[in-house]
Amino acid sequence: MRKNKALLAISTISLSALTLAACSNNKNTNNDNQSKSVSKFAHETPVKKTKQGGTLKVALETDTPFSGIFSNELSTSDIDSQAASPGQETLFDTDDHYRITNKGPATLKLDQKANTITITVKKGVKWSDGKQVIAKDLEYPYEIIANKKTQSERYNTNIENIIGVKEYHEGKAETISGIEMPDGENGRTIVIHCKELKPGMYNSGNRYFWEAAEPYHYLKDVPFNKLKSSDKIRQKPMFFGPYQASKVVRGQSITWTPNKYYWRGKPKLDKIVTQVVASNSASQAIKSHKFDVATVIPTQWKQVKNTKNVNFISQVPLTYYYLGFKVGKWDAKQGKNVMDKNSKMNNKALRQAIGYAMNTDAVDKRYTYGIKFAIPTLIPAPFGDYFNKNEKGYSYNLKKANAILDKAGYKKKGKWRTQPNGKPLTINFAAMTGDSTREPIIQNYIQQWHKIGLNVKLTNGRLIEFNSFYDKLQNDDPKVDMFTAGWGLPSDPSPQSYYSESSILNYSRFVTPENNKLLKEIDSQKAFDHKYRVKKLHEWQTYMNKEAYNIPIDSFYQITAINDQVTGYSLKPSSSNNNHTLWYKVGYSK
């Protein structure tokens, strides 16, 4: 999962400047042209001969310290993932359609008759201490995820498809019976016995089996309940990727040096320094060439687009932002989401009206120069034919929003509408801090909802810092009625991990028989038939738009600014591992 960590300073822009509909046609045309030019950017830096040596400086754009949980099983933060990427290689490479290939550190074999998954790590894939990655290192992550003492948010019903995982999770078994190590713990193969195989298993990020390894010999003495806070995870993590973490300044920077045992070959650089930079300082950092690699914040594109001696590369990532409505709570004892039929936001008409009142297209053109763009569904277009292009989503329509509320009995009493039962209606809206445009964007949406008579207020009266924001969502803070957040998706389109009854990441807490049915069909045996799976994913997108428990807002062109002396950096799925560039290829040109 990905969490957007950009901090927004309080803006001094006047409220009158937030009337986005007043943007001129010329300005919007300009923005459209800019987004079209960005869409034509290459996905990788020009190929050049590479020299050995040099220090590469990488910007990590966030306004709060990174949490530094350098474990795929225990972290859910994309910022941690970005920080760890020079070392944190996973087991599989993919093609450009996110299908697993056997070109990475391990090979994959599915046996539909036997319902087994066989993963074999290649000989010579070694941890940075020189020890071969072994079968126990492949099995151990399942213990980390499934052991309740780690409190891993990665545990869900997907992984319960592995025989014995649920029993281990519930403390009824000391081992996971469905994971076999045919050559012993020191071998290189595990065989995973499943209740059934799933169609998404051919794609990376499917969440039915795990794609990371952990150094059991290094971590085995750390109790599960202390693993997340251990220095072996936070200060001195061990990886089998091209670089090893030689120095961690907690929350601020990581210095990487080559893993001399790296299996693909010798990395090109002497050192990589990944350092935090504040969102508001990102554009200046790019213009002053403070960093060799830096992601461009969409709202800052205008400031950086003419920077010299930089190559801009781009892609549309598997990422989107959405508006969610709290309609229930997480029941930890039952391990599932439970709907509250009396929840304030458990009225489809109210949710739909809120969606139609959002002027997302105008916001994105005004503040991001067309780099961000409105989306119609919760399955992004990069998923190809799984994306339902016939869905229109929630385009701006105040007249329709008002009509929906009127029909549903949300009557106006003075300035504000009341609930259908006549009681006052106040909606508490939680939104994260971010760059300098965040405050005006959020205030704009609140104004739009005020226009249809809804008394929407910011939770705690202000934007909320990243860690506090997700703490409120995860713990179902009663002061949050609706919220805006984002997902960076795995490369399989199944929505199971984020919207199922058993997913703790289903922050809206909605549960319906129809959603359960559709999610089951999307990942069923029938869904090995591509056309059937496409059909069911289209039906799910239509259903989600109709019910509006989570309303899609927008996505963006991810632009990266690269020093023009750097080569080997790519955003193409086939040239990356775990959605990160293959760092051993990156170096300075001769």
Side-chain angles (χ1 to χ4, degrees):
M1 140 183 148
R2 296 176 189 238
K3 298 175 182 177
N4 179 11
K5 261 186 145 180
L7 178 71
L8 297 154
I10 299 295
S11 174
T12 57
I13 298 177
S14 67
L15 290 180
S16 61
L18 300 175
T19 310
L20 302 181
C23 295
S24 71
N25 290 332
N26 288 339
K27 191 170 194 176
N28 288 345
T29 300
N30 252 353
N31 293 338
D32 288 340
N33 290 337
Q34 288 189 50
S35 63
K36 287 175 184 176
S37 66
V38 167
S39 69
K40 295 179 181 178
F41 282 169
H43 297 314
E44 56 192 351
T45 55
V47 178
K48 300 177 183 179
K49 289 185 178 180
T50 311
K51 66 182 180 182
Q52 199 69 33
T55 296
L56 191 81
K57 295 181 179 179
V58 180
L60 187 64
E61 289 149 23
T62 171
D63 291 292
T64 54
F66 57 78
S67 60
I69 304 170
F70 300 125
S71 161
N72 281 299
E73 299 75 32
L74 300 174
S75 174
T76 54
S77 165
D78 183 51
I79 295 296
D80 282 352
S81 178
Q82 289 179 48
S85 66
Q88 199 175 57
E89 196 162 291
T90 55
L91 295 175
F92 305 110
D93 290 359
T94 72
D95 63 18
D96 283 331
H97 299 289
Y98 303 101
R99 299 271 291 189
I100 291 171
T101 71
N102 286 333
K103 295 179 180 179
T107 61
L108 174 74
K109 182 181 177 182
L110 304 183
D111 186 332
Q112 284 185 252
K113 289 184 179 179
N115 284 330
T116 59
I117 302 164
T118 301
I119 299 173
T120 301
V121 68
K122 293 175 181 176
K123 188 175 182 179
V125 177
K126 297 180 178 181
W127 299 105
S128 58
D129 64 355
K131 293 186 181 295
Q132 168 72 38
V133 177
I134 58 174
K136 184 62 181 180
D137 299 331
L138 306 186
E139 183 270 346
Y140 182 49
Y142 295 91
E143 294 183 19
I144 295 174
I145 293 168
N147 194 296
K148 284 188 176 181
K149 292 180 180 179
T150 67
Q151 298 182 329
S152 172
E153 291 185 43
R154 299 295 192 179
Y155 188 86
N156 57 38
T157 53
N158 284 18
I159 209 163
E160 286 182 352
N161 184 51
I162 298 172
I163 292 169
V165 163
K166 187 175 182 181
E167 290 77 7
Y168 178 81
H169 180 66
E170 293 174 348
K172 297 176 181 177
E174 293 185 3
T175 60
I176 300 172
S177 61
I179 302 180
E180 175 189 359
M181 291 175 271
D183 302 319
E185 291 187 358
N186 293 317
R188 293 184 287 109
T189 298
I190 62 170
V191 179
I192 302 171
H193 296 264
C194 300
K195 296 170 185 175
E196 61 179 2
L197 296 193
K198 300 289 185 176
M201 288 178 173
Y202 289 106
N203 276 49
S204 174
N206 61 72
R207 304 294 169 87
Y208 284 103
F209 58 87
W210 203 240
E211 297 178 40
E214 293 290 354
Y216 179 71
H217 69 282
Y218 183 61
L219 298 174
K220 64 182 180 181
D221 294 330
V222 182
F224 282 119
N225 64 341
K226 295 182 179 178
L227 202 56
K228 187 181 287 189
S229 60
S230 168
D231 278 354
K232 289 186 176 183
I233 292 291
R234 291 179 176 255
Q235 288 293 111
K236 298 178 181 179
M238 183 177 289
F239 306 111
F240 62 79
Y243 292 89
Q244 60 180 334
S246 59
K247 182 181 179 182
V248 176
V249 179
R250 185 164 289 182
Q252 296 301 318
S253 68
I254 308 178
T255 300
W256 300 90
T257 52
N259 170 10
K260 63 181 180 180
Y261 302 104
Y262 184 57
W263 71 282
R264 294 188 209 251
K266 186 178 180 180
K268 305 295 190 295
L269 298 162
D270 292 330
K271 192 182 294 183
I272 296 175
V273 179
T274 303
Q275 185 175 342
V276 164
V277 59
S279 301
N280 284 333
S281 302
S283 62
Q284 185 56 43
I286 291 171
K287 289 192 292 183
S288 64
H289 302 95
K290 183 178 179 180
F291 296 97
D292 299 297
V293 178
T295 300
V296 177
I297 294 173
T299 53
Q300 297 176 6
W301 172 240
K302 190 175 181 180
Q303 292 100 290
V304 304
K305 66 177 183 174
N306 294 320
T307 304
K308 294 181 180 179
N309 302 319
V310 163
N311 286 315
F312 291 108
I313 60 175
S314 127
Q315 68 163 351
V316 177
L318 296 176
T319 301
Y320 66 82
Y321 300 93
Y322 69 97
L323 183 71
F325 301 91
K326 283 285 188 181
V327 293
K329 291 187 176 182
W330 173 256
D331 188 320
K333 289 185 179 179
Q334 297 186 70
K336 67 178 184 179
N337 296 291
V338 178
M339 287 265 278
D340 176 5
K341 65 179 181 179
N342 298 315
S343 167
K344 185 191 303 183
M345 307 311 293
N346 206 352
N347 187 305
K348 180 167 66 176
L350 176 61
R351 299 191 299 268
Q352 289 178 336
I354 287 171
Y356 282 119
M358 297 179 72
N359 53 346
T360 301
D361 194 51
V363 168
D364 285 343
K365 286 178 179 178
R366 167 69 186 274
Y367 286 106
T368 76
Y369 316 104
I371 307 304
K372 293 183 79 172
F373 50 89
I375 57 170
T377 86
L378 296 173
I379 298 292
F383 276 124
D385 57 358
Y386 290 126
F387 166 66
N388 189 345
K389 62 183 179 181
N390 296 318
E391 279 297 306
K392 304 302 179 186
Y394 283 82
S395 54
Y396 183 50
N397 193 329
L398 279 185
K399 184 177 180 181
K400 189 170 186 176
N402 276 309
I404 289 171
L405 291 173
D406 290 341
K407 186 177 180 180
Y410 287 90
K411 297 179 180 179
K412 274 197 173 182
K413 190 174 182 181
K415 184 178 181 180
W416 306 120
R417 291 180 184 269
T418 61
Q419 298 180 59
N421 61 13
K423 293 182 179 180
L425 174 63
T426 300
I427 300 171
N428 296 300
F429 174 43
M432 266 188 294
T433 53
D435 73 10
S436 60
T437 66
R438 184 69 168 167
E439 180 81 18
I441 287 172
I442 293 301
Q443 289 297 338
N444 161 79
Y445 285 133
I446 291 174
Q447 281 189 330
Q448 292 301 124
W449 296 321
H450 286 179
K451 287 179 183 178
I452 58 173
L454 295 178
N455 186 13
V456 178
K457 297 181 177 180
L458 282 175
T459 297
N460 296 343
R462 62 184 183 278
L463 299 180
I464 304 169
E465 180 270 336
F466 169 81
N467 294 304
S468 298
F469 174 84
Y470 276 99
D471 182 68
K472 289 180 183 297
L473 291 196
Q474 290 161 359
N475 294 292
D476 302 318
D477 190 315
K479 294 179 182 178
V480 177
D481 298 317
M482 67 179 185
F483 59 92
T484 179
W487 289 126
L489 303 176
S491 37
D492 176 68
S494 172
Q496 182 79 233
S497 295
Y498 300 108
Y499 298 111
S500 68
E501 182 174 6
S502 63
S503 174
I504 196 171
L505 301 176
N506 176 1
Y507 293 134
S508 293
R509 310 303 183 205
F510 80 95
V511 180
T512 67
E514 180 64 16
N515 185 57
N516 288 346
K517 175 176 174 288
L518 284 169
L519 291 181
K520 187 175 181 180
E521 289 171 338
I522 287 166
D523 291 336
S524 68
Q525 295 300 295
K526 283 186 179 180
F528 276 101
D529 180 324
H530 181 73
K531 289 183 179 178
Y532 176 85
R533 199 173 198 223
V534 167
K535 179 175 179 287
K536 290 302 172 181
L537 276 160
H538 283 199
E539 288 178 10
W540 182 80
Q541 289 166 75
T542 299
Y543 173 75
M544 290 296 285
N545 276 350
K546 178 184 174 184
E547 296 300 319
Y549 292 108
N550 294 276
I551 291 176
I553 301 177
D554 53 20
S555 187
F556 60 97
Y557 292 100
Q558 178 183 315
I559 308 172
T560 306
I562 313 284
N563 178 339
D564 65 3
Q565 297 302 306
V566 170
T567 186
Y569 194 100
S570 177
L571 299 175
K572 293 173 66 176
S574 61
S575 297
S576 66
N577 176 280
N578 190 30
N579 293 322
H580 292 294
T581 196
L582 288 174
W583 283 99
Y584 90 102
K585 290 184 176 182
V586 178
Y588 286 99
S589 58
K590 288 185 177 179

